[in-house]
Amino acid sequence: VGWSSVDAPSADQKLYYDTIDHGTDTAKYAFSKGISTSNTAQNMNNVFVRLTGLQPDTKYYFVVADAKNVGTRY
């Protein structure tokens, strides 16, 4: 999963995910994963999280959050 941000990547940025939709309440998500890799291109910080062990034909919900902000639930 990848996203871009004007803010530099930080250790507290995480992707929270689950098979149950918890909206933007990160405390309820069963799984979380920190940044796997990042790079900067054209003044944008590109961040990537590698997820493994996902089940096929399963809908996952996810949200990106750091200490200050929670993004849109996808």
Side-chain angles (χ1 to χ4, degrees):
V1 177
W3 65 91
S4 296
S5 172
V6 294
D7 296 328
S10 64
D12 65 349
Q13 285 181 325
K14 289 186 179 179
L15 177 81
Y16 296 86
Y17 62 104
D18 202 338
T19 57
I20 300 168
D21 183 3
H22 299 292
T24 57
D25 188 348
T26 59
K28 291 184 177 180
Y29 280 85
F31 310 101
S32 67
K33 185 97 182 229
I35 296 171
S36 300
T37 188
S38 63
N39 62 51
T40 301
Q42 298 181 343
N43 296 323
M44 289 299 292
N45 296 295
N46 306 298
V47 180
F48 303 92
V49 173
R50 179 179 296 277
L51 301 179
T52 59
L54 300 177
Q55 298 300 311
D57 298 318
T58 302
K59 184 184 284 189
Y60 285 87
Y61 300 90
F62 66 91
V63 64
V64 174
D66 62 19
K68 296 182 284 184
N69 299 300
V70 177
T72 302
R73 194 275 300 143
Y74 291 96

